[in-house]
């Protein structure tokens, strides 16, 4: 049983950065890889702040690029711990961009990172329990619980599904796939 607990709000991190031409991809929009790098940084800061320990990224569970980000927009990332296990935490991150001339704000990205707390020797270490103080905290926590269950179901499917069975191979006909096994 956990001996210490912290609120979701105690994990809150917010960063803002102006998007520069050097951050663009070949189409002139902000490069998704650059945004991923910022997401990883804020997930680290959020999990480390909450746990009080160095944290590593165990998995990037979801990254939904919803809208492009333009050069000159101010990008703000807001992160919080939404769920905790023994040594792991799921950090939710919301990315918004603001046109600093018009004030228009758009939701550009939602992401979930699983972070693991480590001790000085690199071994996983227990993290505090999570206090849910608002119904929004509760909603986010339940979404993480659902995400964990879906991940376990997918992993189980990977273990028991026979990809080479005639039925499995025949089902590929329903997709835009041509089977050419050698």
């Amino acid at each position: 049983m956990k001996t210490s607990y912290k609120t979701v709000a105690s994990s809150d991190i917010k960063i803002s950065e102006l998007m520069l031409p050097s951050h663009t991809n070949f189409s002139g929009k902000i490069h998704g890889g650059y945004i991923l790098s910022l997401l990883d940084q804020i997930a680290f800061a959020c999990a480390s702040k909450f746990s009080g320990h160095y944290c590593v990224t165990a998995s990037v569970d979801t990254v939904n690029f919803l809208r492009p980000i333009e050069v000159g927009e101010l990008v703000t990332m807001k992160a919080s711990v939404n769920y905790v296990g023994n040594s792991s935490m799921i950090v939710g991150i919301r990315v918004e961009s603001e046109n600093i001339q018009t004030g228009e704000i758009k939701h550009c990205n939602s992401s979930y990172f699983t972070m693991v707390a480590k001790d000085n020797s690199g071994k996983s270490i227990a993290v505090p329990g999570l206090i849910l103080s608002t119904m929004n905290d509760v909603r986010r926590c339940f979404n993480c619980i659902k995400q964990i269950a879906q991940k376990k179901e997918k992993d189980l499917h990977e273990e028991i599904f026979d990809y080479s069975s005639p039925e499995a191979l025949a089902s590929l006909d329903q997709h835009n796939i041509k089977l050419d096994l050698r």
Side-chain angles (χ1 to χ4, degrees), residues 161-182:
F161 186 73
D162 182 3
Y163 295 95
S164 62
S165 73
E167 296 81 14
L169 295 173
S171 74
L172 293 174
D173 291 341
Q174 302 169 28
H175 304 278
N176 190 17
I177 293 171
K178 179 179 179 182
L179 199 57
D180 185 16
L181 299 175
R182 299 172 197 256

Side-chain angles (χ1 to χ4, degrees), residues 65-124:
F65 291 101
L66 305 172
R67 298 171 95 182
I69 300 171
E70 307 291 338
V71 171
E73 290 184 331
L74 183 66
V75 167
T76 300
M77 297 187 175
K78 302 170 188 172
S80 63
V81 171
N82 294 342
Y83 175 87
V84 298
N86 293 320
S87 62
S88 66
M89 297 150 281
I90 297 178
V91 175
I93 308 164
R94 180 181 175 95
V95 179
E96 296 175 338
S97 69
E98 178 181 1
N99 180 314
I100 57 177
Q101 294 173 330
T102 66
E104 178 192 355
I105 296 174
K106 57 186 178 180
H107 178 201
C108 298
N109 186 303
S110 290
S111 301
Y112 296 91
F113 281 56
T114 298
M115 307 297 290
V116 176
K118 299 291 185 174
D119 65 15
N120 291 337
S121 64
K123 291 186 175 23
S124 296

Side-chain angles (χ1 to χ4, degrees), residues 20-89:
L20 305 174
S22 61
H23 302 140
T24 60
N25 60 22
F26 293 109
S27 69
K29 307 296 183 196
I30 300 305
H31 195 287
Y34 183 71
I35 297 301
L36 280 169
S37 173
L38 294 176
L39 289 167
D40 193 51
Q41 290 175 41
I42 196 170
F44 166 82
C46 179
S48 296
K49 178 182 178 184
F50 180 82
S51 68
H53 297 281
Y54 176 79
C55 293
V56 297
T57 305
S59 66
V60 179
D61 303 311
T62 306
V63 178
N64 291 320
F65 291 101
L66 305 172
R67 298 171 95 182
I69 300 171
E70 307 291 338
V71 171
E73 290 184 331
L74 183 66
V75 167
T76 300
M77 297 187 175
K78 302 170 188 172
S80 63
V81 171
N82 294 342
Y83 175 87
V84 298
N86 293 320
S87 62
S88 66
M89 297 150 281

